[in-house]
Amino acid sequence: MKNTKNEAKNKLEEFVQKVEDRTNDALEDSLMDEDAKSETFDIDYTDIVKNSTKAKMSKLPWLIAIFLILIIAIVLCLMFFSNNPKTLFTQTVDGLFDYLESNVNENVYDITDGNISLDYTMKSNDENAELYDELSKVSYNADYVKDNAGNMSFIDLKTTYDGADFVSANIYGDGESTYVYSPIASDKYIKLSNNRLSYFVNGNEVKTLLDGLNQAIDTLTADEKIYGEKENIDTAVGVIKGYQMRLVIDSKNRDRAAENFVNTLKANDEFVNVLAKMRNVSNDDIREGLDRYLTKLKDELKRHNKIELSLYIDNKSKEFIKAEFVSELGSITLVNQDNNKYSYIISKKNDRTLTTGEFSFTVNENKTKYTYNLYYKQTKDDKVLAEGNFDLKYTARQAETFEKVDVTNSLDWNQMSGLEKFDIYTKVAADSKLNKFLPIIRKVV
C-alpha cells in the first residue's frame, strides 16, 4: 500500500515538472528573439522586490517631468483666466467697489456726531440765472448728532449770505417723523409729513449696499459675453497700452440682463433689509418696489436700444483707466486722473448738450474726515449754459450722549389751516433775502 502511494506521488511530480518545462519553453520562444536568447542576464530579484535605491532614482526624472508639466499647465490656466475679458471685466468692477468700500468708516458707534459744510458757486445763462447767483451767496454749516441705536437725529443748521448770518434752523428726527424749528418761520417746531431723517446710514450699511450692487453687476456679467481687445489710450500722462472690455446690451439680452440684476438684489436679504430700514418700510415692500423697478429698467434699456459699456485698464498693471457708456441717446465717459480725481463727459443727443467736469475726494487715515469737490460745465454748440463748483466737507466721530427734543407742542403741517400756512409764508417773504428762495421752499415743504 505504501509503495502504491509513493508511485502515485512520483508520477504527479513528473507531470508537474513536464508542465513547467513546456511553459518555460513557450514563453522563451514567444518573448525572446535569437539575440536575446544569447544574452546573459544578471538579475537581482531581491532588488526588485525591495525597490532598491537604484530603482527609485530611475523614477525621479519621470516624477520631476510630471511635476513640471502640472506646474506649466496650472500657470497656463491662470494666464488664460487672468487675461480672459470676462475675468478682467469682473475684476475691474470688483476693484472699483473695493476702492469705494475701503474709504468707508465701518465703525458703528451707538452715537455719532460731526459737522457738514457746503460751499458752492453756480452760474446760468437761462431764466434761472438770478436764482443761481443768489444761491451762490449762501453757505451751509451743520453740526449733527445721530443716535444709531434709536435711529434719532438732530441737526443744528446755520447759513450765511455774503458772509453774514442768514437763516438758522434746528432739524430733529425721532425715528418716525421730522420736525423743523426756525425763528424766521415759527416759534414752535413744525412736524413735516412723510419725512424721516433716515438717510444717516452707518458705514456697515453703506458697505452692505455697495456689496449688493457689486454682486448684482457680477451676476449680470456672468451670463453675458464680454469682448476684449488691446488698445492704446490717451491719458494726461501720455499714451498707455491698454485693454478694453466691452459689454453689449441690446434686444437679444436686455430682459435677461435686467432680470439678473434686479433678482440678485431681491435675493440679497441684507441689501433689502438696509433699504427697508432707510425707507421705514417692510422687506416685502422693498421687493415689490424692485419688481416695479424691473419693469422701468426694461423700458429704459429698450429706450436706449443698444448699450455698450466699456472698461479700460492698463494692460500691464491692470489699473483702471476709464469707463464709457454709449447708447443711441448719448454717452457718458469717466476717466481716472489719479490722486482720487476723475474727469467726466456727459453727452445728450436729443438736445445736443455736453456736460464736462471733474470730481475728487480725500479722506484722512482714520476715515473720520472727508472732502469732496465737484466741478461741472454744461455747453451747447460751444455756448456755456451753466457752470458750478461744489465743496463738501464731512466729519464723523464717536459721541457720548444724545439729547432728545421735546416736540409735544409742535405744529403738524398737514393739520395746519391755510391761514396758519399763509402766516408762515408772510414771515418768510418779509425777509428781503429769503423771499427769493420761496419757490424752493415750497417744493421742500
Side-chain angles (χ1 to χ4, degrees):
M1 186 72 176
K2 184 175 181 181
N3 292 332
T4 304
K5 290 182 178 179
N6 289 334
E7 291 176 0
K9 180 179 179 181
N10 292 334
K11 290 180 179 180
L12 180 61
E13 289 178 351
E14 291 177 3
F15 175 77
V16 171
Q17 184 63 44
K18 289 179 181 180
V19 171
E20 289 180 353
D21 292 342
R22 291 176 181 177
T23 301
N24 290 334
D25 291 341
L27 287 173
E28 184 177 345
D29 291 340
S30 61
L31 297 178
M32 300 179 64
D33 57 22
E34 294 299 325
D35 293 332
K37 292 178 182 178
S38 63
E39 293 291 337
T40 301
F41 294 93
D42 183 14
I43 300 174
D44 188 343
Y45 292 97
T46 305
D47 282 348
I48 295 176
V49 174
K50 294 183 178 180
N51 199 10
S52 66
T53 302
K54 181 180 179 181
K56 291 179 180 178
M57 292 301 295
S58 67
K59 297 177 182 179
L60 186 59
W62 290 101
L63 294 175
I64 294 175
I66 293 173
F67 179 75
L68 290 176
I69 291 172
L70 288 175
I71 293 296
I72 293 173
I74 293 173
V75 171
L76 290 175
C77 288
L78 290 175
M79 290 178 62
F80 171 77
F81 286 110
S82 64
N83 290 286
N84 181 279
K86 181 175 291 188
T87 302
L88 291 173
F89 189 97
T90 302
Q91 289 177 345
T92 303
V93 171
D94 293 346
L96 292 173
F97 276 97
D98 287 341
Y99 174 70
L100 292 175
E101 291 188 28
S102 67
N103 289 292
V104 175
N105 188 339
E106 65 275 11
N107 292 325
V108 181
Y109 304 121
D110 289 338
I111 302 175
T112 306
D113 71 5
N115 177 269
I116 302 173
S117 63
L118 174 64
D119 294 286
Y120 58 87
T121 56
M122 295 189 298
K123 297 179 182 179
S124 175
N125 292 321
D126 57 18
E127 65 274 8
N128 295 317
E130 184 178 354
L131 177 61
Y132 280 17
D133 288 340
E134 291 299 319
L135 285 172
S136 297
K137 298 176 183 179
V138 181
S139 296
Y140 299 83
N141 190 285
D143 293 321
Y144 72 90
V145 184
K146 176 75 167 64
D147 184 342
N148 297 297
N151 200 27
M152 296 183 292
S153 305
F154 178 80
I155 301 174
D156 182 12
L157 173 65
K158 293 181 173 61
T159 64
T160 60
Y161 181 91
D162 265 352
D165 290 342
F166 188 35
V167 177
S168 63
N170 291 336
I171 307 172
Y172 173 65
D174 64 359
E176 297 295 333
S177 303
T178 299
Y179 303 82
V180 177
Y181 165 75
S182 179
I184 199 171
S186 174
D187 58 354
K188 296 181 179 180
Y189 273 93
I190 299 176
K191 179 181 178 181
L192 303 181
S193 59
N194 301 323
N195 282 285
R196 298 174 62 249
L197 288 179
S198 56
Y199 47 82
F200 278 111
V201 294
N202 60 53
N204 280 342
E205 291 170 335
V206 172
K207 285 191 172 184
T208 297
L209 296 178
L210 291 175
D211 284 337
L213 292 172
N214 187 5
Q215 181 183 357
I217 294 175
D218 287 349
T219 303
L220 182 160
T221 305
D223 283 346
E224 307 303 333
K225 181 176 177 59
I226 304 296
Y227 302 88
E229 61 180 335
K230 295 180 180 179
E231 181 174 326
N232 291 332
I233 305 172
D234 291 325
T235 67
V237 296
V239 178
I240 293 178
K241 292 183 178 180
Y243 189 82
Q244 178 200 30
M245 299 86 69
R246 180 166 51 92
L247 167 65
V248 178
I249 299 178
D250 53 21
S251 59
K252 299 178 182 178
N253 64 343
R254 67 167 69 105
D255 286 349
R256 179 178 64 237
E259 289 168 1
N260 282 340
F261 180 78
V262 175
N263 289 337
T264 303
L265 295 178
K266 284 176 56 181
N268 190 326
D269 292 336
E270 293 182 351
F271 180 88
V272 171
N273 188 54
V274 172
L275 284 183
K277 183 178 179 181
M278 293 174 61
R279 299 290 303 276
N280 193 31
V281 296
S282 69
N283 288 8
D284 289 338
D285 290 334
I286 293 298
R287 291 190 173 92
E288 290 175 3
L290 287 172
D291 285 332
R292 293 190 294 271
Y293 173 73
L294 175 58
T295 301
K296 294 180 180 179
L297 180 58
K298 289 182 178 180
D299 291 340
E300 184 65 17
L301 293 177
K302 186 176 181 179
R303 193 170 70 91
H304 283 268
N305 191 27
K306 181 181 179 181
I307 294 174
E308 293 188 6
L309 176 60
S310 299
L311 299 179
Y312 298 81
I313 59 175
D314 188 311
N315 196 38
K316 183 177 181 180
S317 66
K318 309 305 181 188
E319 292 183 357
F320 170 74
I321 298 177
K322 71 174 181 177
E324 284 184 340
F325 176 95
V326 180
S327 79
E328 293 186 358
L329 302 182
S331 64
I332 301 174
T333 302
L334 176 69
V335 180
N336 182 9
Q337 302 288 354
D338 291 331
N339 298 321
N340 296 323
K341 180 181 290 187
Y342 298 84
S343 62
Y344 64 91
I345 301 174
I346 303 174
S347 175
K348 295 182 180 180
K349 292 183 179 180
N350 59 342
D351 58 6
R352 305 194 315 279
T353 60
L354 186 69
T355 302
T356 60
E358 292 182 345
F359 68 90
S360 63
F361 70 94
T362 58
V363 56
N364 68 343
E365 185 176 352
N366 296 328
K367 301 176 186 178
T368 58
K369 296 181 180 180
Y370 298 81
T371 301
Y372 303 88
N373 176 264
L374 170 67
Y375 168 76
Y376 79 93
K377 181 171 68 174
Q378 187 179 48
T379 60
K380 181 176 181 179
D381 300 329
D382 296 328
K383 179 183 178 181
V384 178
L385 302 179
E387 191 173 7
N389 192 74
F390 297 81
D391 289 299
L392 175 67
K393 296 179 181 179
Y394 168 76
T395 63
R397 59 183 181 273
Q398 186 176 11
E400 298 298 330
T401 60
F402 180 89
E403 296 183 5
K404 294 184 178 181
V405 177
D406 184 4
V407 291
T408 54
N409 295 323
S410 62
L411 303 174
D412 191 328
W413 182 260
N414 279 348
Q415 297 180 4
M416 292 175 63
S417 65
L419 184 61
E420 289 174 318
K421 293 180 181 180
F422 178 77
D423 182 53
I424 292 176
Y425 284 129
T426 301
K427 291 180 180 179
V428 173
D431 189 297
S432 58
K433 298 175 183 177
L434 191 57
N435 63 9
K436 298 177 182 179
F437 306 113
L438 277 178
I440 300 177
I441 296 174
R442 289 192 183 98
K443 291 181 180 180
V444 172
V445 298

